[in-house]
Amino acid sequence: MALNPLVESRDVQFVLFEVLNIDTITKYPKYADFDRDTFIDTLELAEKIALDQFYQVNGEGDKEGAKYNPETKEVKVPECYKEAYKAYADAGFIALNIPQEAGGMGLPEIINISCNEFLAAGNIALSIYPGLTHGAANLIVNYGTEEQKKLYLDKMLSGQWGGTMGLTEPDAGSDVGDLKTKAVPQDDGTYLLSGQKIFMSCAENDLNENMIHPVLGRIEGDPSGTKGISIFLVPKYIVNPDGSLGEKNDIVCTGIEHKMGIHGSATCSMSMGDNGKCIGYLLGEQKTGMKIMFQMMNEARIGVGLQGLALSSSAYMHAITYAKNRVQGSDVAQMLNPDAPKVTIIKHPDVKRMLLWMKSYVEAMRMLTYYLAYNIDLEHVLDEEGAKEAKAVVEILTPVLKAGNSDMSWQITAEAIQVYGGYGFISEYPVEQLARDSKIGSLYEGTNGIQSIDLMMRKILMNPDQYNFKVWKKKFAETINKAKGVVDDKYITPVQKGMERLDEVISILAGQLAEGKFLHLFMNATPLQKIIFDITIAWMHIWSLTLTIPKVKELVGDAKGEERTKILTENSEAAFYSGKTLASQFWIGSEFPKVFGKIEALLTGETAVIKASDEIFTGALEE
C-alpha cells in the first residue's frame, strides 16, 4: 500500500493480519466467499477513494459548508462533495457488510470498519452522510417487513436514497423518554406523525433524491417513558408500490445548526405534520422503538469511536509530515556551537516526544477499534459459548471505545496543532480543522458522561454476575500470559497491578450500589471510564509487544548506533516494527503510571461533588 497523509496503511495491515489474523474467519461458511486478496483489494479501493476523492474536498467543503434555504426549506451540501460521494456509493461501500440476501456484499464488519477509517480520516463530514444511510438501512434489514425491504433497501444501499435517525427533540435530548412526537393510527395501517426533531445529521440534503427517516414517536394512548416508544419510517417523498416517488411528505427542514466543526454535514431541525399529513410506517412491533433504535445507536457509537481514531490518525500523520520538513533551530546536542546547522524540528526531543505520544495512542486506539469490530463478526460464526463471549466484549468495549477515542481525538488533534506551532492555529494548515471536527465526538450519540454511566451501571455493576467485566478480564489475562517470556517484566508488571487495583475499585463501587449510594456512584462514572480506557490501551500495547519484539530481534538484532540507523533507513519493515515497539514501551513506561493516580483519586472518597449545592456556583445570572 502507498504511503498517505491520513492513515498508516502498514499499521492497518498489521492489526488485521498479524494481531487479529482475520484470514481465519474465511473458514466459516458466512465468510467463505472471501479471502485475504479480497480484503486487501477492498482496503486499497477505500484508501484510493479516501485520498483521491474525500481528502481532496475536505478543506473546500469545510469552508463552503452546508447551506439552508429558508424559502424552499432545502439544504445544499458543498458542491465539491457530490463527485466524491458518487465514487463512494458506486463502489458499493454503503452495502459493504450488509448481508448478501438483503442486497449487500456480506463482507465482515472488521473490513467495513477498517475501510471507513480511511474514508473518515479523509473527510469526516462527508462520511457521515453514507454512514447514517448504512445504519438506517440496517434497521430495515433486521426489522422491516418484506414490503419495506423491497421498497427501500436497493436504493438506499446504492446511495440513491439516504437515511438518518430521528431521536432528539427540543425538550428531550439525552432523556429520550420525554419525547412528544405523536403517532395517530390510520385505517390503512399507516400513522400520521406530528412533532419536532433536532440535531438530525444529514436529514435534508441534495445528495440523495429521497430520505428515509427512522423516527421515534409515541402512538396515541401508549404509556409514557421509553416503554411506550415506537419507531416509524418517515420518507421525504412517499414511495409508490412500484418504487417510484410519489408526493412530498409533510416533513420539512426548518433550519440547520451553525457549528464549530463538520461544517459540510447538515445538522437539521425537522418538523413533522405541520399540515396534518406526515405519513409514517411502523417499523417492527409497537412499543419496541427503543430496542430497535438501540441497534443503530450502538452502531453509531462504534462509528463515533472510529471517527475519533480517524481524526487522530490524520492529525498524527500530518504532524509527522510537517515535523520532517519544517527546518528550525539546531540539534540540541550542538546547542553550544554557534555554527551548528539548522535541523528539521523532528530532531528536537520535545517534538519527538509529542509525536511518540500521538503515535502510541493512535496505534492502540486502532487495535481497540478493530478488535471490537472483529468480535462483532465472531458473534456470528463461533459456537454458543464463543459467541456469548464475543458479544460481552462488544458490549463492554462499546462505551469505552466511544468515550475514550473521542476524548483522545480532541487531545491528539490539539497536540498536532502544537507540533505545527503557530501555523497549526491558522486555517491554511489542516490540523486546525481536524481539531474543530473532532470535538463533536464526545457529545453526539450520547455524551461521554452517558457512556460512562452505561459502562459502570449496565455493563459492569448491574450486569448479571458481572459477566461482561469477567470476560474482559479473561481476554486481558490471556494476553498477559502470552507476553510472559517475550515482553520485559518491567512492562507487564505495572499493567497487571493496574488491573488488580481496578478490581479493588469495582468492589468498592459494587458495595456502594448495594447501599444505594447512587450519588457516589454517578460522580465517579467518568473517572472509572477513563481508568478502564487506560487499562484497555495498556492491554493493546502488551498485545502488540508480543508480536513486535520478536520481529525487531529478527530484523535489527543487537545493532546499535550508526549500524542500527543504517538498518532502519534501508529496511522499512525494521523501522516499522522498531517504531511500534518503542511506542508501546513509551506508553506503558510514561503514560500508564498516571492511571494509579486516577485510581487513588477515585478511592479517596472525596464527596465535594455531593456537597456542592446549586448555590455555591455564584456569579451567574439565572434566566
Side-chain angles (χ1 to χ4, degrees), residues 259-322:
K259 308 185 298 292
M260 173 180 172
I262 56 170
H263 292 156
S265 171
T267 303
C268 305
S269 298
M270 304 294 290
S271 183
M272 297 171 290
D274 289 352
N275 299 305
K277 297 179 180 180
C278 181
I279 298 173
Y281 306 87
L282 185 67
L283 179 64
E285 297 180 2
Q286 186 172 342
K287 294 186 289 187
T288 62
M290 284 304 295
K291 173 189 173 184
I292 293 172
M293 187 59 92
F294 257 110
Q295 172 190 300
M296 190 171 181
M297 289 170 66
N298 282 329
E299 288 177 6
R301 287 169 178 175
I302 294 168
V304 173
L306 175 68
Q307 290 173 357
L309 163 63
L311 288 164
S312 298
S313 174
S314 183
Y316 164 61
M317 297 295 281
H318 278 91
I320 295 172
T321 301
Y322 184 80

Side-chain angles (χ1 to χ4, degrees), residues 311-603:
L311 288 164
S312 298
S313 174
S314 183
Y316 164 61
M317 297 295 281
H318 278 91
I320 295 172
T321 301
Y322 184 80
K324 284 187 173 183
N325 290 279
R326 169 67 164 156
V327 177
Q328 185 169 321
S330 55
D331 194 316
V332 294
Q334 298 189 53
M335 61 186 300
L336 300 179
N337 178 6
D339 300 319
K342 302 299 182 183
V343 296
T344 53
I345 64 172
I346 199 169
K347 302 291 187 185
H348 301 318
D350 192 53
V351 173
K352 197 171 293 186
R353 176 196 58 79
M354 288 191 282
L355 292 174
L356 197 55
W357 180 86
M358 296 166 72
K359 175 181 173 68
S360 67
Y361 269 108
V362 169
E363 292 178 354
M365 288 159 63
R366 180 170 293 121
M367 282 184 66
L368 167 59
T369 306
Y370 288 15
Y371 176 62
L372 188 159
Y374 194 48
N375 273 276
I376 294 174
D377 293 320
L378 295 178
E379 282 187 64
H380 300 300
V381 298
L382 297 182
D383 60 23
E384 183 178 355
E385 183 58 31
K388 183 181 177 183
E389 287 194 354
K391 182 179 180 181
V393 169
V394 173
E395 288 188 349
I396 195 168
L397 286 184
T398 294
V400 176
L401 175 77
K402 192 279 184 184
N405 278 14
S406 61
D407 276 344
M408 283 311 306
S409 69
W410 178 238
Q411 295 183 47
I412 290 168
T413 53
E415 198 77 341
I417 291 174
Q418 195 70 24
V419 171
Y420 275 73
Y423 289 113
F425 194 63
I426 59 179
S427 58
E428 283 79 4
Y429 290 82
V431 288
E432 176 265 351
Q433 181 190 340
L434 294 173
R436 287 188 288 103
D437 286 349
S438 77
K439 186 54 200 165
I440 186 63
S442 65
L443 307 174
Y444 62 3
E445 307 310 336
T447 65
N448 286 355
I450 289 173
Q451 305 305 312
S452 301
I453 292 168
D454 175 59
L455 174 66
M456 179 178 68
M457 300 299 288
R458 292 183 64 246
K459 304 300 170 57
I460 299 179
L461 297 181
M462 297 176 69
N463 184 258
D465 196 32
Q466 291 188 3
Y467 179 75
N468 292 340
F469 185 55
K470 288 179 179 178
V471 170
W472 180 76
K473 290 199 299 179
K474 174 187 173 183
K475 302 294 184 182
F476 171 93
E478 289 171 355
T479 298
I480 292 293
N481 288 335
K482 289 179 181 177
K484 290 177 179 177
V486 178
V487 181
D488 194 306
D489 285 345
K490 73 176 184 179
Y491 299 110
I492 294 176
T493 301
V495 177
Q496 284 183 300
K497 287 182 178 178
M499 180 62 85
E500 292 168 5
R501 296 303 309 277
L502 177 60
D503 278 335
E504 182 182 345
V505 169
I506 296 299
S507 177
I508 289 172
L509 295 176
Q512 291 175 343
L513 177 64
E515 295 172 16
K517 293 183 175 180
F518 297 112
L519 292 174
H520 292 74
L521 287 171
F522 279 63
M523 76 176 185
N524 280 320
T526 292
L528 175 68
Q529 173 265 121
K530 291 180 181 295
I531 290 166
I532 291 177
F533 179 73
D534 285 346
I535 294 176
T536 303
I537 292 295
W539 169 18
M540 297 297 111
H541 278 302
I542 292 290
W543 191 350
S544 181
L545 284 171
T546 63
L547 299 168
T548 62
I549 288 174
K551 293 295 290 186
V552 172
K553 288 181 179 177
E554 172 192 336
L555 297 170
V556 182
D558 297 324
K560 295 180 175 62
E562 292 184 4
E563 182 187 0
R564 180 177 181 273
T565 300
K566 185 174 185 294
I567 293 172
L568 300 187
T569 301
E570 296 176 352
N571 187 332
S572 61
E573 286 292 278
F576 172 75
Y577 288 109
S578 295
K580 289 194 67 66
T581 298
L582 289 172
S584 295
Q585 291 173 340
F586 167 84
W587 198 90
I588 296 173
S590 298
E591 286 295 305
F592 188 72
K594 299 172 185 176
V595 77
F596 295 102
K598 294 177 183 179
I599 291 171
E600 290 300 328
L602 191 153
L603 292 177

Side-chain angles (χ1 to χ4, degrees), residues 40-58:
I40 291 177
D41 288 346
T42 307
L43 288 165
E44 289 181 344
L45 178 58
E47 182 176 13
K48 180 175 174 55
I49 293 173
L51 287 170
D52 296 348
Q53 300 281 349
F54 276 46
Y55 180 56
Q56 296 304 316
V57 298
N58 191 31

